[in-house]
């Protein structure tokens, strides 16, 4: 057994979960986290207050035995509630029926739960206010800076896991020290701002509780996810600049007029709109791709550090948890201490899937933006729904990504896009879907489906 600890940089969602996986193997784990302990201080966990947890993330949380605690605080969302400009509502299920749903969970609550769970193992410790500023890959050590004293020290490990998010210091060190390192970020022209709908009297919900609410408006949209306490966290996805943008809404009057015109039915519930719009920051949205994700046996990247994605498939955290599950399986397969073999196997399995979910999330942004109001697209959604309810083994692209964790993202992307192209073509050719022979459509879809390699 290794004597020096496994160093994990970042006690976020991925870092804390990975610590639990490693703790179960009896490994000594030391986590270095740049922020203070959010369980002791009143800080938000960072970006976005709640997140959609779905089957890929659930699988990993089940594996480490924390899923029941997580689900106790979750709110089920079996579909989207679409809000038209005139206030008309339309519920669109995510899966074939209400047995398929995604879950709204508190980011901070989940992060705290995972940290507490990790610390319940004697072989795990989390060091807060300790920012990793550099990595020495030759010696498997990191340099950390104490937030208060700004003193730097070197910490020696047996290997280093970079779970330090989109601006990863571990990835930056790889980029600085490895010849030919590839790294790119594609920024969207849209950013996001969080707003909130507080609970009504007696902690009741102002809007339908069990739905992800969307106000799609072409080039921009507002969404709202329920929280267990009766509130909703809303996110406005909106261009940074241009005629209708964060930049253009530069007075309280313009903000009010814009919201009343576009999101009229939400305005009575957005009771702190002016204050929140003025004070909450505008977040940037980008897709990060990099290669390699590993430095021989010395270091490996997990989560957003390896593949930050835009949030339009609700998969960033789920993909990060899937990284942890697969990395754990690779360590099991190659044996503790055989880091190089495990990391290579992990990279081989995950890089292609990290790229795929990055692409899928951007594609979904344009789909939501451009297609939701398109009648052929709506016809296609109805057809997909009919197929899912008729044929057990047919899964729409959304279902492949969200509800089929045994299918890797890269396959979900390829198969899903082929299915979409076929269904859009068929829907264009007919005036109503009843004109299509469902069995023939199913046969054509089945022909697209090659043998799917199952994911570990
Ligand atoms: P993080 O959560 O960013 O954690 C990184 C940790 O490392 C942090 O604690 C940070 O303080 C620490 N750290 C950073 N630098 C250092 C350093 N130098 N030294 C020490 N510690 C450091 N995903 C979903 O699955 N579903 C959703 O619905 C969803 N919605 C989203 C909505 C928005 C608006 C955004 C922006 C993202 C959303 N995501 C969603 C994505 C999700 O938030 C991320 O994919 C997830 O947080 C990644 O986890 P992580 O642990 O890799 O990174």
């Amino acid at each position: 057994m290794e004597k020096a600890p496994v160093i994990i940089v970042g006690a976020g969602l991925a870092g804390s979960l990975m610590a639990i996986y490693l703790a179960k193997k009896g490994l000594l784990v030391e986590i270095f986290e740049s922020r203070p302990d959010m369980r002791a201080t009143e800080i938000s966990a960072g970006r976005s207050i709640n997140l959609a947890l779905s089957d890929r993330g659930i699988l990993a949380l089940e594996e480490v035995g924390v899923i029941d605690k997580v689900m106790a605080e979750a709110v089920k969302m079996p579909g989207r509630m679409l809000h038209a400009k005139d206030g008309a509502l339309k519920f669109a299920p995510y899966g074939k029926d209400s047995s398929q749903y995604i879950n709204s969970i508190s980011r901070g609550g989940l992060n705290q739960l995972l940290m507490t769970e990790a610390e319940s193992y004697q072989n795990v410790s989390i060091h807060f206010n300790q920012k990793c500023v550099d990595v020495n890959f030759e010696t498997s050590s990191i340099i950390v800076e104490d937030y208060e004293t700004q003193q730097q020290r070197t910490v020696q490990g047996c290997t280093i896991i970079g779970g330090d998010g989109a601006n990863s210091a571990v990835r930056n060190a790889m980029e600085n020290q490895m010849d030919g390192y590839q790294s790119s970020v594609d920024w969207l022209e849209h950013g996001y701002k969080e707003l909130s709908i507080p609970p009504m009297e007696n902690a009741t919900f102002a809007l339908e509780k069990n739905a992800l609410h969307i106000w799609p408006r072409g080039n921009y949209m507002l969404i709202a996810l329920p929280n267990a306490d009766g509130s909703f966290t809303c996110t406005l996805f909106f261009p940074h600049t241009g005629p209708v943008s964060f930049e253009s809404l530069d007075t309280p009057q313009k903000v009010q007029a814009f919201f009343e015109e576009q999101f009229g039915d939400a305005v009575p519930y957005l009771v702190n709109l002016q204050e929140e719009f003025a004070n909450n920051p505008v977040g940037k949205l980008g897709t990060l791709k990099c290669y390699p994700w590993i430095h021989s046996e010395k270091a490996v990247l997990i989560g957003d550090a390896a593949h930050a994605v835009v949030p339009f498939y609700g998969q960033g955290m789920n993909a990060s948890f899937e990284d942890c599950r697969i990395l754990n399986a690779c360590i099991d397969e190659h044996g503790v201490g055989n880091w190089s073999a495990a990391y290579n196997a992990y990279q081989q399995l995950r890089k292609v899937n990290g790229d795929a979910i990055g692409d899928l999330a951007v594609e979904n942004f344009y789909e939501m933006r451009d297609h939701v109001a398109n009648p052929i697209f709506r016809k296609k959604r109805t057809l997909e729904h009919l197929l899912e309810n008729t044929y057990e083994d047919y899964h729409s692209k959304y279902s492949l990504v969200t509800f089929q964790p045994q299918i890797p993202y890269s396959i979900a992307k390829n198969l899903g896009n082929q299915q979409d192209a076929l269904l859009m073509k068929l829907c264009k050719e007919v005036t109503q879907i009843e004109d299509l022979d469902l069995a023939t459509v199913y046969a054509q879809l089945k022909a697209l489906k090659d043998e799917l390699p199952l994911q570990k």
Side-chain angles (χ1 to χ4, degrees), residues 80-92 207-208 211-217 222 260-266 269 372 378:
R80 295 172 176 154
M81 186 68 83
L82 298 166
H83 294 243
K85 245 173 129 174
D86 63 4
L89 298 178
K90 188 170 186 305
F91 183 76
L207 310 170
E208 163 60 42
L212 190 156
H213 294 263
I214 309 192
W215 290 257
R217 297 292 182 265
L222 179 71
E260 275 170 14
E261 192 200 328
Q262 296 298 332
F263 313 121
D265 63 333
Y269 306 118
V372 169
R378 289 216 300 265

Side-chain angles (χ1 to χ4, degrees), residues 93-100 385 388-389 391-392 394 399 403:
Y94 279 125
K96 62 184 167 84
D97 56 36
S98 60
S99 69
Q100 290 188 314
H385 205 229
E388 281 186 313
N389 275 297
Y391 301 101
E392 273 283 297
Y394 167 75
S399 282
F403 300 126

Side-chain angles (χ1 to χ4, degrees), residues 182-230:
Q182 296 162 28
S183 169
S184 67
V185 185
D186 280 338
W187 295 108
L188 276 193
E189 71 274 28
H190 288 59
Y192 70 95
K193 190 184 277 282
E194 285 198 355
L195 304 167
S196 66
I197 294 179
M200 306 294 277
E201 250 174 69
N202 303 323
T204 53
F205 291 79
L207 310 170
E208 163 60 42
K209 173 185 176 187
N210 294 110
L212 190 156
H213 294 263
I214 309 192
W215 290 257
R217 297 292 182 265
N219 194 28
Y220 47 86
M221 66 178 166
L222 179 71
I223 67 166
L225 272 74
N227 295 307
D229 67 356

Side-chain angles (χ1 to χ4, degrees), residues 9-14 32-35 47-48 51-52 107 130-132 163-165 169 192 303-304 311 314-318 320:
V9 182
L13 297 168
F32 294 85
E33 166 57 49
S34 56
R35 292 185 298 192
R47 302 154 302 162
S48 89
L51 302 169
R107 173 200 281 273
Q130 304 291 311
K131 181 178 183 178
C132 170
D164 49 346
Y192 70 95
D304 277 14
Q315 285 294 315
M317 164 190 63
N318 290 288
S320 304

Side-chain angles (χ1 to χ4, degrees), residues 116-183:
T116 302
E117 194 70 23
E119 282 183 327
S120 72
Y121 293 85
Q122 282 187 345
N123 42 331
V124 176
S125 30
I126 308 180
H127 308 272
F128 293 98
N129 292 316
Q130 304 291 311
K131 181 178 183 178
C132 170
V133 290
D134 207 352
V135 180
N136 184 334
F137 294 106
E138 295 314 311
T139 57
S140 301
S141 56
I142 61 168
I143 302 184
V144 288
E145 186 176 283
D146 183 275
Y147 175 75
E148 269 159 29
T149 63
Q150 276 159 34
Q151 294 284 314
Q152 294 191 352
R153 69 190 167 106
T154 299
V155 183
Q156 179 70 49
C158 64
T159 190
I160 299 156
I161 298 181
D164 49 346
N167 297 316
S168 169
V170 180
R171 188 187 65 245
N172 286 341
M174 286 184 181
E175 193 165 357
N176 292 336
Q177 296 175 41
M178 291 171 80
D179 286 340
Y181 196 84
Q182 296 162 28
S183 169

